[in-house]
């Protein structure tokens, strides 16, 4: 049996928010079965609850923001990727401001904080999966950008970037999702930006918290980060991380193949909305056993990290 999961203990963190530059704290609390991921703005009176679902996306400019005007939370995608990557279905994420802290610019610190606090725990309810039944795609043909989700036997991702820059020309990455593959191959990949854009944003009072502490900053022929890259193809791996965080807004782990080409949060959000807009595109299913999934030619992902039986 594959059970739903939550965090075993409250997970506390704090850090600077990328866009506002404000210091913000957050706490990931255990969530009850079938409750999904819910953000709570604890700095508002009364606190505002925002479910992490595709229909709650309000902005995809630079990062993914969910909620309502005055009651939103931004830059959620790296935390969402960490929760998805560790197989966490249910959690309440309290955040003390309008933007999640950026931490190190990847999902790595979120993963570490969750593991340091005791990891995940299985709950007495079967895990739900979202099985893609019909291909859905979004294309921006003028800019050669596209995203697609199509039926497949397991969760696979394929991503290609091709920037007009010597360090960022054609990079591709393919993976079959598992929690161990996520932690090893994806979680540490940091967000990135071009030095001239970062400098212009700082002048305009944007990306105030952005620095080489939480992003790879790229100049014409080199990067500003003295420690170098964490993976030789860190950029495309970060795009995979962002895609996982954005697909987490489908509300259940995906069984299907995602293909992204030069895309970003905006196209991912449109893809999630389009898939969910027609009930024939997908099916939400539970399986008593892996074998039952195999009889339908579906391979459920392995969740080996913190794999504890229900308490
Ligand atoms: Zn990102």
């Amino acid at each position: 049996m594959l059970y739903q999961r939550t965090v075993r203990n409250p997970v506390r963190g704090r850090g600077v928010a990328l866009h506002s530059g404000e210091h913000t704290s957050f706490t990931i609390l255990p969530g009850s079965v079938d409750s999904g991921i819910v953000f709570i703005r604890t700095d508002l009176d009364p606190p505002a609850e925002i479910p992490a679902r595709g229909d709650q996306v309000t902005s995809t400019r630079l990062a993914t923001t969910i909620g309502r005007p005055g009651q939103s939370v931004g830059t959620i995608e790296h935390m969402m990727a960490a929760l998805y990557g560790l197989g966490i279905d249910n959690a309440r994420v309290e955040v003390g401001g309008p933007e999640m802290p950026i931490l190190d610019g990847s999902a790595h610190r979120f993963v570490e904080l969750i593991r340091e606090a005791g990891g995940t725990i299985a709950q007495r309810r079967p895990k739900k999966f979202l099985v893609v039944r019909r291909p859905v795609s979004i294309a921006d043909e003028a800019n050669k950008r596209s995203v697609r989700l199509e039926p497949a036997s397991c969760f696979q991702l394929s991503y290609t970037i091709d920037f007009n820059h010597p360090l960022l020309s054609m990079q591709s990455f393919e993976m079959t999702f598992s929690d161990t593959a996520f932690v090893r191959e994806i979680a540490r990949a940091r967000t990135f930006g071009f030095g001239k854009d970062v400098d212009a944003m700082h002048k305009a009072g944007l990306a105030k918290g952005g620095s080489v502490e939480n992003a790879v900053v790229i100049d014409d022929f080199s990067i500003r980060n003295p420690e170098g890259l964490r993976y030789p193809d860190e950029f495309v791996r970060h795009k995979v991380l962002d895609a996982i965080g954005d697909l987490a807004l489908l509300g259940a782990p995906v069984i299907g193949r995602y293909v992204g080409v030069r895309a970003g949060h905006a196209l991912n959000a449109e893809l999630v909305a389009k898939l969910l807009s027609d009930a024939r595109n997908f099916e939400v299913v539970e399986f008593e056993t892996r074998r039952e999934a195999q009889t339908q030619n579906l391979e459920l992902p392995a969740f080996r990290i913190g794999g504890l039986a229900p308490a």
Side-chain angles (χ1 to χ4, degrees):
M1 170 81 86
L2 270 172
Y3 295 101
Q4 293 183 26
R5 279 178 182 281
T6 188
V7 290
R8 179 192 281 271
N9 298 306
V11 179
R12 290 174 218 287
R14 184 177 165 76
V16 72
L18 179 61
H19 300 293
S20 69
E22 301 279 339
H23 277 269
T24 307
S25 51
F26 67 91
T27 308
I28 310 171
L29 296 165
S32 52
V33 291
D34 293 329
S35 64
I37 310 297
V38 181
F39 285 82
I40 300 117
R41 280 279 305 272
T42 51
D43 57 318
L44 300 176
D45 186 18
E49 294 210 358
I50 308 152
R53 285 197 320 253
D55 61 356
Q56 297 287 315
V57 175
T58 53
S59 167
T60 50
R61 208 174 78 83
L62 303 173
T64 298
T65 300
I66 57 170
R68 302 167 290 279
Q71 299 186 340
S72 64
V73 56
T75 320
I76 62 164
E77 60 272 15
H78 302 163
M79 145 90 67
M80 290 301 295
L83 297 175
Y84 188 111
L86 295 177
I88 295 170
D89 302 282
N90 306 305
R92 292 172 66 77
V93 183
E94 294 184 347
V95 54
E99 198 184 333
M100 282 296 295
I102 187 72
L103 303 186
D104 71 341
S106 76
H108 174 64
R109 277 300 293 153
F110 291 111
V111 168
E112 270 191 341
L113 289 168
I114 292 166
R115 295 175 82 175
E116 285 163 11
T120 68
I121 189 159
Q123 299 174 289
R124 288 201 174 277
R125 195 69 147 259
K127 199 173 180 78
K128 292 182 168 63
F129 290 88
L130 184 147
V131 180
V132 178
R133 293 298 186 199
R134 298 202 309 188
V136 172
S137 59
I138 302 281
D140 168 2
E141 275 162 28
N143 293 301
K144 297 188 184 136
R145 301 173 194 275
S146 63
V147 286
R148 177 178 169 87
L149 263 173
E150 60 196 25
S153 61
C154 58
F155 182 30
Q156 299 170 326
L157 297 110
S158 162
Y159 209 103
T160 303
I161 58 171
D162 188 10
F163 288 87
N164 182 19
H165 187 285
L167 295 177
L168 288 164
S169 56
M170 194 66 95
Q171 282 184 8
S172 286
F173 193 82
E174 292 254 353
M175 77 177 296
T176 296
F177 176 86
S178 70
D179 59 355
T180 44
F182 175 80
V183 168
R184 273 193 214 136
E185 298 172 25
I186 299 298
R188 296 175 66 244
R190 291 163 294 177
T191 191
F192 56 92
F194 294 101
K196 55 180 187 297
D197 297 342
V198 173
D199 296 341
M201 283 197 283
H202 282 167
K203 273 195 192 126
L206 299 166
K208 284 183 191 157
S211 73
V212 291
E213 298 295 314
N214 50 45
V216 180
V217 181
I218 308 157
D219 286 324
D220 285 347
F221 299 101
S222 62
I223 61 168
R224 288 186 194 174
N225 304 61
E227 73 283 8
L229 294 174
R230 292 179 174 180
Y231 307 97
D233 54 355
E234 184 167 357
F235 309 111
V236 70
R237 290 180 194 237
H238 186 78
K239 300 300 277 186
V240 173
L241 189 162
D242 278 342
I244 292 171
D246 287 338
L247 293 180
L249 296 176
L250 287 166
V254 181
I255 299 179
R257 177 175 170 78
Y258 167 90
V259 182
V261 179
R262 293 162 45 85
H265 298 304
L267 289 195
N268 288 336
E270 279 187 60
L271 183 70
V272 165
K274 187 171 177 182
L275 186 105
L276 294 177
S277 70
D278 187 336
R280 292 171 297 179
N281 292 337
F282 67 96
E283 192 178 348
V284 176
V285 293
E286 308 174 344
F287 300 100
E288 290 292 324
T289 61
R290 285 181 183 281
R291 187 170 294 276
E292 188 186 327
Q294 283 162 359
T295 61
Q296 298 178 38
N297 292 322
L298 300 176
E299 195 63 52
L300 303 181
F303 289 103
R304 297 187 184 90
I305 295 172
L308 297 165

Coordinates of all heavy atoms in Angstrom, one line a residue, residues 162-209:
D162 N 17.4 26.7 -24.3 CA 18.3 27.1 -25.4 C 18.3 28.7 -25.4 O 17.6 29.3 -26.2 CB 17.8 26.6 -26.8 CG 18.8 26.8 -27.9 OD1 19.9 27.2 -27.6 OD2 18.5 26.6 -29.0
F163 N 19.1 29.2 -24.5 CA 19.2 30.7 -24.5 C 20.3 31.1 -25.5 O 21.2 30.4 -25.8 CB 19.6 31.1 -23.1 CG 18.6 31.0 -22.0 CD1 18.4 29.8 -21.3 CD2 17.8 32.1 -21.7 CE1 17.4 29.7 -20.4 CE2 16.8 32.0 -20.7 CZ 16.6 30.8 -20.1
N164 N 20.2 32.3 -25.9 CA 21.3 32.9 -26.7 C 22.4 33.4 -25.9 O 22.6 34.6 -25.7 CB 20.6 34.1 -27.6 CG 21.7 34.6 -28.5 OD1 22.7 34.0 -28.9 ND2 21.4 35.9 -29.0
H165 N 23.1 32.4 -25.3 CA 24.2 32.7 -24.4 C 25.2 31.5 -24.3 O 24.7 30.4 -24.3 CB 23.6 33.0 -23.0 CG 24.7 33.5 -22.0 ND1 25.6 32.6 -21.4 CD2 24.9 34.7 -21.5 CE1 26.4 33.4 -20.6 NE2 26.0 34.6 -20.6
P166 N 26.5 31.8 -24.3 CA 27.4 30.6 -24.4 C 27.3 29.6 -23.3 O 27.5 28.4 -23.5 CB 28.8 31.3 -24.4 CG 28.6 32.7 -24.1 CD 27.2 33.1 -24.4
L167 N 26.9 30.1 -22.1 CA 26.8 29.1 -21.0 C 25.5 28.4 -20.9 O 25.3 27.4 -20.2 CB 27.0 29.9 -19.6 CG 28.4 30.5 -19.4 CD1 28.4 31.2 -18.0 CD2 29.4 29.4 -19.4
L168 N 24.5 28.9 -21.7 CA 23.1 28.4 -21.6 C 22.6 28.0 -22.9 O 21.4 27.8 -23.1 CB 22.3 29.6 -21.1 CG 22.4 29.9 -19.7 CD1 21.8 31.3 -19.4 CD2 21.8 28.9 -18.8
S169 N 23.4 27.7 -23.9 CA 22.9 27.2 -25.2 C 22.5 25.8 -24.9 O 22.8 25.2 -23.9 CB 23.9 27.3 -26.3 OG 25.1 26.6 -25.9
M170 N 21.7 25.2 -25.8 CA 21.1 23.9 -25.7 C 21.6 23.0 -24.6 O 22.6 22.5 -24.6 CB 21.4 23.2 -27.1 CG 20.6 22.0 -27.3 SD 18.8 22.4 -27.4 CE 18.7 22.4 -29.2
Q171 N 20.7 22.9 -23.6 CA 20.9 21.9 -22.5 C 19.6 21.1 -22.4 O 18.5 21.7 -22.4 CB 21.1 22.6 -21.1 CG 22.5 23.1 -20.9 CD 22.7 23.7 -19.5 OE1 21.9 23.6 -18.6 NE2 23.9 24.3 -19.3
S172 N 19.7 19.8 -22.3 CA 18.5 19.0 -22.1 C 18.7 18.1 -20.9 O 19.8 17.7 -20.6 CB 18.3 18.1 -23.4 OG 17.8 18.8 -24.4
F173 N 17.6 17.7 -20.3 CA 17.6 16.8 -19.2 C 16.4 16.0 -19.2 O 15.3 16.4 -19.4 CB 17.7 17.7 -17.9 CG 18.0 16.8 -16.7 CD1 19.4 16.5 -16.4 CD2 17.1 16.3 -15.8 CE1 19.7 15.8 -15.3 CE2 17.4 15.5 -14.7 CZ 18.7 15.3 -14.5
E174 N 16.6 14.7 -18.9 CA 15.4 13.7 -18.9 C 15.5 13.0 -17.5 O 16.6 12.6 -17.1 CB 15.7 12.6 -19.9 CG 15.6 13.1 -21.3 CD 14.3 12.6 -22.0 OE1 13.6 11.8 -21.4 OE2 14.1 13.0 -23.1
M175 N 14.4 12.8 -16.9 CA 14.4 11.9 -15.7 C 13.1 11.2 -15.5 O 12.0 11.6 -16.0 CB 14.6 12.8 -14.5 CG 13.5 13.6 -14.0 SD 13.8 14.5 -12.5 CE 14.1 13.2 -11.3
T176 N 13.2 10.1 -14.9 CA 12.0 9.4 -14.4 C 12.0 9.7 -12.9 O 13.0 9.5 -12.2 CB 12.1 7.9 -14.6 OG1 12.2 7.6 -16.0 CG2 11.0 7.1 -14.0
F177 N 10.8 10.2 -12.4 CA 10.8 10.7 -11.1 C 10.8 9.6 -10.0 O 10.2 8.6 -10.1 CB 9.5 11.5 -10.9 CG 9.3 12.0 -9.5 CD1 9.9 13.2 -9.0 CD2 8.6 11.2 -8.5 CE1 9.8 13.6 -7.7 CE2 8.5 11.6 -7.2 CZ 9.1 12.8 -6.8
S178 N 11.6 9.9 -9.0 CA 11.5 9.1 -7.7 C 12.0 10.1 -6.7 O 12.7 11.1 -7.0 CB 12.4 7.9 -7.7 OG 13.7 8.2 -7.7
D179 N 11.8 9.9 -5.4 CA 12.2 10.8 -4.4 C 13.8 10.9 -4.4 O 14.4 11.9 -4.2 CB 11.6 10.6 -3.0 CG 11.9 9.2 -2.4 OD1 12.5 8.4 -3.1 OD2 11.5 9.0 -1.3
T180 N 14.4 9.7 -4.5 CA 15.9 9.7 -4.5 C 16.5 10.4 -5.7 O 17.4 11.2 -5.5 CB 16.4 8.3 -4.4 OG1 15.7 7.5 -5.3 CG2 16.3 7.7 -3.0
A181 N 15.9 10.2 -6.9 CA 16.4 10.9 -8.1 C 16.2 12.4 -7.9 O 17.0 13.3 -8.2 CB 15.6 10.5 -9.3
F182 N 15.0 12.8 -7.3 CA 14.8 14.3 -7.1 C 15.8 14.9 -6.1 O 16.4 15.9 -6.4 CB 13.4 14.5 -6.5 CG 13.1 15.9 -6.1 CD1 12.7 16.8 -7.0 CD2 13.2 16.3 -4.8 CE1 12.5 18.2 -6.7 CE2 13.0 17.6 -4.4 CZ 12.7 18.6 -5.4
V183 N 16.1 14.2 -5.0 CA 17.0 14.7 -4.0 C 18.4 14.8 -4.6 O 19.1 15.8 -4.4 CB 17.0 13.9 -2.7 CG1 18.1 14.3 -1.8 CG2 15.6 14.2 -2.0
R184 N 18.8 13.8 -5.3 CA 20.2 13.7 -5.9 C 20.4 14.6 -7.1 O 21.4 15.2 -7.2 CB 20.5 12.3 -6.3 CG 21.1 11.4 -5.2 CD 21.7 10.2 -5.7 NE 21.4 9.1 -4.8 CZ 21.0 7.9 -5.1 NH1 20.8 7.5 -6.3 NH2 20.8 7.0 -4.1
E185 N 19.4 14.6 -8.0 CA 19.7 15.2 -9.3 C 19.1 16.5 -9.5 O 19.5 17.3 -10.5 CB 19.2 14.2 -10.4 CG 19.9 12.9 -10.4 CD 19.3 11.9 -11.3 OE1 18.6 12.3 -12.3 OE2 19.4 10.7 -11.0
I186 N 18.1 16.9 -8.7 CA 17.3 18.1 -9.0 C 17.3 19.1 -7.9 O 17.4 20.3 -8.1 CB 15.8 17.7 -9.3 CG1 15.8 16.8 -10.6 CG2 15.0 19.0 -9.5 CD1 16.3 17.4 -11.9
A187 N 17.2 18.6 -6.6 CA 16.9 19.5 -5.5 C 17.9 20.6 -5.3 O 17.5 21.7 -4.9 CB 16.7 18.7 -4.2
R188 N 19.2 20.4 -5.7 CA 20.2 21.4 -5.4 C 20.4 22.4 -6.5 O 21.2 23.3 -6.4 CB 21.5 20.7 -5.1 CG 21.5 19.8 -3.8 CD 22.7 19.0 -3.6 NE 23.9 19.9 -3.3 CZ 24.9 20.0 -4.1 NH1 25.0 19.3 -5.2 NH2 25.9 20.8 -3.8
A189 N 19.7 22.2 -7.6 CA 19.9 23.2 -8.7 C 19.2 24.5 -8.4 O 18.0 24.6 -8.1 CB 19.2 22.6 -10.0
R190 N 20.0 25.6 -8.5 CA 19.6 26.9 -8.1 C 19.0 27.7 -9.2 O 19.3 27.5 -10.4 CB 20.8 27.7 -7.5 CG 21.3 27.2 -6.2 CD 22.7 27.8 -6.0 NE 23.6 27.3 -7.0 CZ 24.9 27.6 -7.1 NH1 25.4 28.5 -6.3 NH2 25.7 27.1 -8.0
T191 N 18.1 28.6 -8.9 CA 17.6 29.6 -9.8 C 18.7 30.4 -10.4 O 19.8 30.4 -9.8 CB 16.5 30.4 -9.2 OG1 15.8 31.1 -10.2 CG2 17.1 31.4 -8.2
F192 N 18.5 31.0 -11.5 CA 19.6 31.8 -12.2 C 19.0 33.0 -12.8 O 17.8 33.1 -13.1 CB 20.3 30.9 -13.2 CG 19.4 30.3 -14.3 CD1 19.2 31.0 -15.5 CD2 18.8 29.1 -14.1 CE1 18.4 30.4 -16.5 CE2 17.9 28.6 -15.0 CZ 17.7 29.2 -16.2
G193 N 19.9 34.0 -13.0 CA 19.5 35.2 -13.7 C 20.7 35.8 -14.3 O 21.9 35.5 -14.0
F194 N 20.5 36.7 -15.3 CA 21.6 37.4 -16.0 C 22.0 38.6 -15.2 O 21.2 39.4 -14.7 CB 21.2 37.8 -17.4 CG 21.0 36.5 -18.3 CD1 19.7 36.1 -18.5 CD2 22.0 35.8 -18.8 CE1 19.5 35.0 -19.3 CE2 21.8 34.7 -19.5 CZ 20.5 34.2 -19.8
G195 N 23.3 38.8 -15.0 CA 23.9 39.9 -14.2 C 23.3 41.2 -14.6 O 22.9 42.0 -13.8
K196 N 23.2 41.5 -15.9 CA 22.7 42.8 -16.3 C 21.2 43.0 -16.0 O 20.8 44.1 -15.6 CB 22.9 43.1 -17.8 CG 22.4 42.0 -18.8 CD 22.7 42.5 -20.2 CE 22.1 41.6 -21.3 NZ 22.5 40.2 -21.3
D197 N 20.4 41.9 -16.0 CA 19.0 42.0 -15.6 C 18.9 42.2 -14.1 O 18.1 43.0 -13.6 CB 18.2 40.7 -15.9 CG 18.2 40.5 -17.4 OD1 18.4 41.4 -18.2 OD2 17.9 39.3 -17.8
V198 N 19.8 41.4 -13.3 CA 19.8 41.6 -11.9 C 20.1 43.0 -11.5 O 19.5 43.6 -10.6 CB 20.8 40.5 -11.2 CG1 20.9 40.8 -9.7 CG2 20.3 39.1 -11.5
D199 N 21.2 43.6 -12.1 CA 21.6 44.9 -11.8 C 20.4 45.9 -12.1 O 20.2 46.8 -11.3 CB 22.8 45.3 -12.6 CG 24.0 44.5 -12.2 OD1 24.0 43.8 -11.1 OD2 25.0 44.4 -13.0
A200 N 19.7 45.7 -13.2 CA 18.6 46.6 -13.6 C 17.5 46.5 -12.6 O 16.9 47.5 -12.2 CB 18.2 46.3 -15.0
M201 N 17.2 45.2 -12.2 CA 16.1 45.0 -11.2 C 16.4 45.7 -9.9 O 15.6 46.3 -9.3 CB 15.8 43.5 -11.1 CG 15.0 42.9 -12.2 SD 14.2 41.4 -11.9 CE 15.6 40.3 -12.0
H202 N 17.7 45.5 -9.5 CA 18.1 46.2 -8.2 C 17.9 47.7 -8.3 O 17.4 48.3 -7.3 CB 19.5 45.8 -7.8 CG 19.7 44.4 -7.3 ND1 20.9 43.8 -7.1 CD2 18.8 43.5 -6.8 CE1 20.7 42.6 -6.6 NE2 19.5 42.4 -6.4
K203 N 18.3 48.3 -9.4 CA 18.1 49.7 -9.6 C 16.6 50.1 -9.5 O 16.3 51.2 -9.1 CB 18.7 50.2 -10.9 CG 20.2 50.5 -10.8 CD 20.7 51.3 -12.0 CE 22.2 51.3 -12.0 NZ 22.8 50.8 -13.2
A204 N 15.8 49.2 -10.1 CA 14.3 49.5 -10.1 C 13.6 49.1 -8.8 O 12.4 49.1 -8.7 CB 13.7 48.8 -11.3
G205 N 14.4 48.6 -7.8 CA 13.8 48.2 -6.5 C 13.2 46.9 -6.6 O 12.3 46.5 -5.7
L206 N 13.5 46.0 -7.6 CA 13.0 44.7 -7.7 C 14.1 43.7 -7.3 O 15.3 44.0 -7.2 CB 12.5 44.4 -9.1 CG 11.4 45.3 -9.6 CD1 11.3 45.1 -11.1 CD2 10.1 45.0 -8.9
A207 N 13.6 42.4 -7.0 CA 14.6 41.3 -6.7 C 15.6 41.8 -5.6 O 16.7 41.5 -5.6 CB 15.3 40.8 -7.9
K208 N 15.0 42.5 -4.6 CA 15.9 43.1 -3.6 C 16.7 42.1 -2.8 O 17.8 42.4 -2.3 CB 15.0 43.9 -2.6 CG 14.5 45.2 -3.1 CD 13.8 46.0 -2.0 CE 13.0 47.2 -2.6 NZ 11.9 47.6 -1.7
G209 N 16.1 40.9 -2.6 CA 16.8 39.9 -1.8 C 17.7 39.0 -2.7 O 18.4 38.1 -2.2

